Amino acid sequence: MQVGIVGYGAYVPKYRIKAEEIAVVWGEDAEKIKSGLCVREKSVPSIDEDTATIAVTCARNALEQAKIDPADIGAIYVGSESHPYAVKTTSSMVAEAIEATPVLTAADYQFACKAGTAAMQTVMGMVASKMIKYGVAIGADTSQGKPGDALEYTASAGGAAYIIGAENVLAIIRDTYSYTTDTPDFWRREGAEFPSHGSRFTAEPAYFRHVLAAAKGILEKNKMQPKDFKYAVFHQPNGKFPLNAAKKLGFTNEQVSTGLLTPMIGNTYSGATPLGLAAVLDEACAGDKILAVSYGSGAGSDAFIIEVTKENEKRRNKKTVKSYINKKEYLTYSIYSKFKGKIKGVSLEK
Amino acid sequence: MWEDRVRPRLFTYTGGTKMKGLASYWRLIPQRYNLIGTECNHCKQKFFPPRKICPTCRRHGEIKSYKFKGVGEIYSYTVIHAAPDGFEFQKPYALGLIRLVEGPLVTAQIVDCKPDEVEVGKKVEMVFRKIFAGGKEGTIRYGYKFKLVD
């Protein structure tokens, strides 16, 4: 049974902070940071935004394109490392906000930055087995970086939602393949405010090992080569890793550039690969093939081979990723600190 | 499925403790999340917050649930400088009276802009945002706000 994307929706908050604005606080060289991470600025959620508001906005945008009856949605899974509640689901809020309740199943996922693609695989399986007609998979985050840490330059906010079904698809998901191991490269313990990471350890044994293995695995399984694809999207914790991964696999910068958003908006964590894929779908035409590979610390990668249909051009998404990226307002570090609740002694939630 | 939970009550702030107003918040979810009001099938007048009886048609009226489109224009607004508890870190912010395209006036925050960008007559659309939270351990209340249309 052919399974694919019936509609997708993206969202990136309006506010941004430049690398220079962060670097000056910590006495670091902004140019060095910008060239090292390939990140110029990052998105910042407004004071009244969180993963739930982003997930709802993405889901509503996806429904606008899919034009399906929300009552036909049988499952909603939201992947994030910043769910607003430790106990109580973001997915049930999304379900209520898109009027998909009450006859559906829903749950929240966490797998660092790949929770959104894990959600996509779940609903793909449910649609393929005819358990449900449509399923919604969302990757959304308002990620946290410890003040002064390298992550502060990249940890940002955004997300994308995918409505998966079997009819009227604008892109067919030809195959998916995952590679998972127990790798302690990045973590956050229950109750801890900020995540910790293994610095350089996050590169070779973590990001590259999993991304490359998942990409090679799916290519071999499907007897395909990098030249068979018009676009490729790799998880983008910074602007450099995805370009290096692409090079190692034999993809060109041209294949990767459309879906590489980190230099402009930072790392949207669970939103990163889904948002990169959305940016590609905004431009892709019938017959174009896309390789998408996520990465989540802990660690694992999910790879997808996607083929765009004529339907994508017929029902072009009006709320493009580019429109969200271009609409921006810069914040100072002090206002950013307030928005993110980083000011000591001040609780934004009374 | 909503009708039994829809009550014609205005939004009120009942934060401060983690339990206060839990049931009324839950009851108002259809209104807060999706601007679900009512419509009189007889005279086609639409109501938000929802009414159970049409004040024009009265016993001849027939009330049914109606989902507003979530678009309108600014009818009037004020800028809040002395904000109530729970909103003090957002000041100064614009609080508007929004004339929905279907007719009713709705009071809501106008976000993602500076107060001096707000003008009477500007087009707005609904967004889903956090309204307030009952402390770090309480529930987070979400609902509609509006933003300027580009």
Side-chain angles (χ1 to χ4, degrees):
Chain A
M1 186 186 194
Q2 210 167 61
V3 171
I5 299 161
V6 181
Y8 65 94
Y11 179 73
V12 180
K14 181 190 173 186
Y15 297 102
R16 304 277 183 282
I17 186 164
K18 287 184 176 174
E20 287 89 343
E21 188 68 28
I22 300 171
V24 76
V25 175
W26 305 110
E28 296 196 80
D29 182 345
E31 289 310 314
K32 213 168 143 188
I33 300 251
K34 274 166 37 183
S35 63
L37 295 172
C38 287
V39 176
R40 298 191 293 274
E41 55 197 50
K42 67 165 188 173
S43 62
V44 181
S46 181
I47 200 161
D48 59 357
E49 289 184 298
D50 63 15
T51 293
T53 67
I54 291 172
V56 166
T57 310
C58 295
R60 284 179 174 169
N61 288 349
L63 262 182
E64 215 175 291
Q65 187 191 33
K67 290 189 172 55
I68 59 161
D69 181 353
D72 287 337
I73 293 169
I76 297 181
Y77 295 98
V78 182
S80 180
E81 63 106 73
S82 53
H83 288 291
Y85 289 92
V87 179
K88 190 189 177 309
T89 49
T90 309
S91 49
S92 61
M93 282 187 257
V94 173
E96 200 82 72
I98 61 169
E99 296 182 280
T101 52
V103 185
L104 83 163
T105 181
D108 288 357
Y109 276 4
Q110 70 95 354
F111 196 141
C113 298
K114 84 156 189 94
T117 55
M120 283 172 76
Q121 291 178 323
T122 307
V123 290
M124 274 174 69
M126 293 173 87
V127 170
S129 63
K130 296 185 180 169
M131 264 179 80
I132 57 170
K133 187 173 180 188
Y134 299 112
V136 182
I138 304 173
D141 255 309
T142 54
S143 51
Q144 295 283 347
K146 205 179 276 178
D149 188 275
L151 284 182
E152 200 180 15
Y153 294 94
T154 55
S156 68
Y162 287 85
I163 299 175
I164 309 284
E167 297 162 16
N168 224 7
V169 298
L170 49 89
I172 303 159
I173 306 175
R174 292 274 179 219
D175 198 13
T176 183
Y177 180 100
S178 292
Y179 187 90
T180 309
T181 71
D182 182 0
T183 308
D185 59 323
F186 173 95
W187 63 92
R188 181 166 65 83
R189 295 281 301 272
E190 180 73 44
E193 209 169 335
F194 299 107
S196 304
H197 57 87
S199 297
R200 285 181 194 175
F201 184 68
T202 60
E204 289 304 329
Y207 178 88
F208 290 104
R209 179 184 172 199
H210 295 80
V211 168
L212 300 182
K216 283 176 188 163
I218 201 166
L219 290 178
E220 276 167 28
K221 189 180 159 200
N222 289 275
K223 298 182 177 56
M224 290 177 83
Q225 294 175 351
K227 65 174 171 54
D228 298 328
F229 295 87
K230 175 88 186 278
Y231 302 99
V233 180
F234 297 102
H235 175 56
Q236 31 203 285
N238 51 54
K240 219 167 200 175
F241 279 17
L243 290 177
N244 288 349
K247 199 174 168 188
K248 286 180 187 189
L249 289 163
F251 286 90
T252 63
N253 283 0
E254 204 189 355
Q255 286 168 296
V256 181
S257 61
T258 311
L260 182 56
L261 311 175
T262 302
M264 290 93 77
I265 58 168
N267 179 10
T268 52
Y269 282 52
S270 302
T273 305
L275 259 174
L277 177 60
V280 166
L281 289 171
D282 283 344
E283 295 186 11
C285 297
D288 288 348
K289 291 185 185 67
I290 307 161
L291 174 73
V293 187
S294 66
Y295 172 73
S297 294
S301 274
D302 302 324
F304 300 84
I305 290 175
I306 295 163
E307 188 175 336
V308 178
T309 71
K310 283 180 190 160
E311 200 63 28
N312 191 42
E313 285 155 274
K314 267 195 248 168
R315 293 191 280 125
R316 279 280 182 213
N317 198 309
K318 291 186 181 76
K319 293 185 173 164
T320 62
V321 175
K322 215 175 245 176
S323 68
Y324 282 115
I325 290 178
N326 292 341
K327 191 173 168 55
K328 58 185 171 182
E329 185 180 327
Y330 291 107
L331 299 178
T332 59
Y333 191 85
S334 44
I335 298 293
Y336 155 78
S337 303
K338 184 177 88 168
F339 277 18
K340 294 290 288 173
K342 289 183 176 188
I343 298 177
K344 203 176 170 185
V346 174
S347 174
L348 298 178
E349 297 180 336
K350 286 214 161 180
Chain B
M1 74 195 82
W2 292 120
E3 284 72 5
D4 60 329
R5 283 162 58 180
V6 176
R7 299 286 184 278
R9 283 167 59 174
L10 285 167
F11 170 87
T12 47
Y13 172 63
T14 52
T17 65
K18 58 182 171 181
M19 285 290 289
K20 217 172 170 185
L22 208 55
S24 64
Y25 165 72
W26 170 77
R27 249 182 249 123
L28 295 175
I29 280 177
Q31 289 180 40
R32 297 256 183 89
Y33 285 16
N34 282 311
L35 278 176
I36 291 176
T38 50
E39 177 186 20
C40 172
N41 234 359
H42 193 245
C43 71
K44 301 293 172 197
Q45 200 180 342
K46 295 170 180 70
F47 308 102
F48 193 89
R51 279 179 178 271
K52 283 199 157 179
I53 294 170
C54 173
T56 311
C57 306
R58 303 186 68 87
R59 75 181 62 179
H60 303 294
E62 192 193 323
I63 288 286
K64 59 168 191 173
S65 177
Y66 178 82
K67 185 183 178 180
F68 287 84
K69 291 187 178 80
V71 289
E73 62 176 45
I74 299 169
Y75 173 79
S76 184
Y77 72 96
T78 185
V79 178
I80 306 289
H81 291 277
D85 208 18
F87 294 82
E88 61 274 58
F89 302 119
Q90 299 177 38
K91 69 176 192 293
Y93 61 86
L95 189 67
L97 277 174
I98 313 300
R99 174 72 75 192
L100 298 174
V101 287
E102 296 95 337
L105 275 175
V106 174
T107 308
Q109 257 179 278
I110 301 164
V111 296
D112 278 5
C113 65
K114 293 192 175 72
D116 58 13
E117 292 172 58
V118 177
E119 281 172 31
V120 169
K122 275 195 172 173
K123 301 268 183 266
V124 288
E125 63 183 15
M126 183 185 75
V127 290
F128 182 83
R129 293 293 169 93
K130 245 188 327 189
I131 309 289
F132 59 83
K136 272 198 170 303
E137 293 183 11
T139 55
I140 308 166
R141 316 282 166 98
Y142 297 88
Y144 59 82
K145 293 186 182 181
F146 283 79
K147 68 165 191 171
L148 300 174
V149 175
D150 306 329

